[in-house]
Amino acid sequence: MRHQKLYINTIGCQMNVYDSDRIARALEPGGYRQTDTLEEADLVIVNTCAIRAKAEQKAFSFIGRLARMKRQNPKLLIGVGGCVAQQEGEAILSRMPHVDLIFGTHAIPRLPRIVDQAKTRRIRVVDVEQSDEIDEIDLTAGFHSDGQVSRFVTIMQGCDNYCSYCVVPYVRGTEMSRHPDRILSEIETLVRNGVREVTLLGQNVNSYGRKEGLSSFAELLERVNGIEGLRRIRFTTSHPKDLSDDLMGAFGKLAKLCPHIHLPVQSGSDPVLKRMNRKYTRQVYLDRIERLRSIRPDIAVTSDFIVGFPGESREDFEATLTLVETVAFDSIFAFMYSDREIAPASHFKNKVNEDEIKARLQELLAAQETITLRNNRALVGTLQEIMVEGSSTRPGLAESIDAGPQWSGRTPGNKIVNFSPGRDLGSEETLQVGQMVAVRIEKAHAHSLRGELVRKEPSEGCPRGKECHAA
Ligand code: SF4
């Protein structure tokens, strides 16, 4: 049987990256194999994101460009999934006559039937039904890591927080957690197949299991920490209001839990946080950061910001700038506020002028860049435990150093390090992807670090929780 070729265009967050994997897995038994070449596809799926207007425009622009392909090859099937599909449903069919199928965020397990109907009966199919049970697709059947040592594992879906600017609760449904045994079994299979690092995913992992009375997130982490062969655990995303003492304590207790937390704050101003319905204050956020740092002094902290939320005054924005300076984040993602029709904030008054939002965004990013560089410079001279991810592709790096290949990996705090082999690696020797090594940091840039390999086994050099200075 000739395999059908499946091309997936993934737009948006890690959750969508994970869902694209589930889409590919769901369609595999029907003979679909993924391709990176759009032109050879029999089925094109656009996995969309509705979180910001820009992501939605990007999806529609890509879908629009597929019309020409469809004219040239009428047998080509075009599907739209993800958050925009959930939000817009049938409306996409009238707007885009060349689209064959629309499937929502809960319809991935039903995708084989949806595709089959569209293909054999030549009908246009829409399935945006939301379910009240978490859907499970076995992502590990026949899994081969293909050299990938780091994987996402979703532990929950949906969200109950209803932040006033956000569409997630409407397009991904209410919060549901997977059973811990299924999560454990998925990670164990990944590890048996070469994976060394997992990132546990959810819209708000801190409330994992609470509704269902399953274990808490801290308890889940403890079980994952016990998996033999796994080297590193990360997670995202955390809501500050649900960051429990147990979870903060896990950073001081669990050897495999990387000292990095992504803790979106969104604004440094209490009135703005209130209108965003975030349910914490600036002070609560600062207290949590202080507590985390008392438990794990080397913890890297990153965050998300929305700039120009309706009614954000200059004074509110300055409160954001002072928060950034006080916390001294390792890095941030900052976005311009954009109206999302189904989110309550789209009806708020006192919208900030777009030019002002752009100017504030630039100001915030510039302030953070200085802080990131300062934090990175503080690492120069330290030894860092790096998990090798592959050869370094940074332009100009190879020419700047005479000897051998260059490598790249990440610190426990999730900073990218490009490094040269150093004297410890003989000319015939090579490093393996997934191997842990000790690297001395020699130079800091705004978005990465440069270093030299010191040892192929980092254990003595990088005692946990202490600063790890080179001898
Ligand atoms: S916590 Fe708020 S921002 Fe995050 S997904 Fe839920 S509603 Fe959206």
Side-chain angles (χ1 to χ4, degrees), residues 28-195:
E28 227 171 61
Y32 282 97
R33 298 286 180 272
Q34 256 186 287
T35 174
D36 292 332
T37 311
L38 176 62
E39 290 68 28
E40 64 180 28
D42 301 289
L43 168 61
V44 177
I45 284 182
V46 190
N47 192 9
T48 59
C49 169
I51 206 103
R52 268 169 277 281
K54 220 170 166 181
E56 195 172 318
Q57 285 153 9
K58 191 172 161 190
F60 279 119
S61 147
F62 180 79
I63 301 164
R65 290 203 303 275
L66 296 175
R68 199 164 65 94
M69 271 180 77
K70 181 86 170 185
R71 279 198 298 277
Q72 287 164 352
N73 172 17
K75 281 192 175 160
L76 174 70
L77 284 180
I78 298 172
V80 180
C83 297
V84 177
Q86 186 69 47
Q87 183 185 285
E88 302 291 320
E90 264 192 76
I92 298 175
L93 293 187
S94 18
R95 189 172 163 185
M96 302 272 170
H98 56 290
V99 170
D100 300 285
L101 47 113
I102 307 289
F103 60 100
T105 51
H106 289 202
I108 297 174
R110 301 188 290 274
L111 200 48
R113 183 167 46 82
I114 298 169
V115 170
D116 191 55
Q117 282 177 342
K119 190 167 146 188
T120 55
R121 294 165 55 194
R122 299 312 298 175
I123 52 169
R124 303 174 87 194
V125 190
V126 179
D127 182 345
V128 289
E129 200 178 315
Q130 294 207 349
S131 111
D132 49 13
E133 273 176 29
I134 198 151
D135 52 56
E136 291 279 357
I137 291 174
D138 186 1
L139 290 180
T140 55
F143 173 80
H144 294 292
S145 75
D146 294 330
Q148 273 185 295
V149 289
S150 185
R151 300 285 297 193
F152 295 123
V153 173
T154 193
I155 63 169
M156 59 206 297
Q157 65 185 45
C159 182
D160 291 343
N161 287 309
Y162 294 92
C163 300
S164 62
Y165 52 84
C166 183
V167 298
V168 167
Y170 311 99
V171 294
R172 287 199 172 262
T174 56
E175 185 181 294
M176 286 185 270
S177 298
R178 292 177 73 196
H179 195 281
D181 292 350
R182 296 201 75 137
I183 297 167
L184 266 282
S185 150
E186 180 173 332
I187 299 173
E188 280 161 358
T189 309
L190 294 175
V191 171
R192 274 199 302 279
N193 285 281
V195 168

Side-chain angles (χ1 to χ4, degrees), residues 221-236:
L221 282 173
E222 197 157 346
R223 286 185 68 186
V224 176
N225 191 65
I227 295 177
E228 214 171 305
L230 182 69
R231 300 296 295 260
R232 285 180 166 181
I233 308 166
R234 301 184 187 277
F235 61 81
T236 195

Side-chain angles (χ1 to χ4, degrees), residues 417-432:
V417 181
N418 299 303
F419 61 96
S420 53
R423 287 175 293 276
D424 199 50
L425 203 65
S427 56
E428 299 300 306
E429 287 181 278
T430 187
L431 298 176
Q432 303 298 320

Side-chain angles (χ1 to χ4, degrees), residues 297-372:
D298 60 344
I299 195 163
V301 184
T302 56
S303 195
D304 292 340
F305 287 84
I306 294 173
V307 178
F309 188 76
E312 184 193 73
S313 63
R314 180 70 208 176
E315 195 186 346
D316 292 321
F317 177 64
E318 276 168 15
T320 294
L321 291 176
T322 59
L323 180 110
V324 163
E325 191 57 54
T326 307
V327 177
F329 294 103
D330 288 87
S331 67
I332 62 166
F333 295 101
F335 304 97
M336 290 171 38
Y337 170 80
S338 65
D339 272 343
R340 309 279 60 222
E341 214 177 294
I342 55 174
S346 67
H347 306 293
F348 288 6
K349 296 201 170 44
N350 298 327
K351 297 278 162 61
V352 184
N353 158 301
E354 201 177 318
D355 288 343
E356 180 61 28
I357 298 181
K358 279 185 188 153
R360 287 182 193 175
L361 179 70
Q362 290 317 314
E363 199 176 339
L364 176 60
L365 292 174
Q368 179 57 42
E369 183 138 337
T370 308
I371 297 165
T372 301

Side-chain angles (χ1 to χ4, degrees), residues 196-199 221 225 231-235 250-251 254-262 296 298-300 385 387 410-414 436 464:
R196 293 291 167 262
E197 174 182 276
V198 289
T199 302
L221 282 173
N225 191 65
R231 300 296 295 260
R232 285 180 166 181
I233 308 166
R234 301 184 187 277
F235 61 81
F251 281 104
L254 305 180
K256 295 174 186 173
L257 183 58
C258 287
H260 170 219
I261 187 161
H262 185 70
R296 191 73 210 241
D298 60 344
I299 195 163
E385 181 196 72
M387 188 168 86
R410 279 171 202 267
T411 65
N414 211 27
M436 309 299 269
R464 182 181 164 71

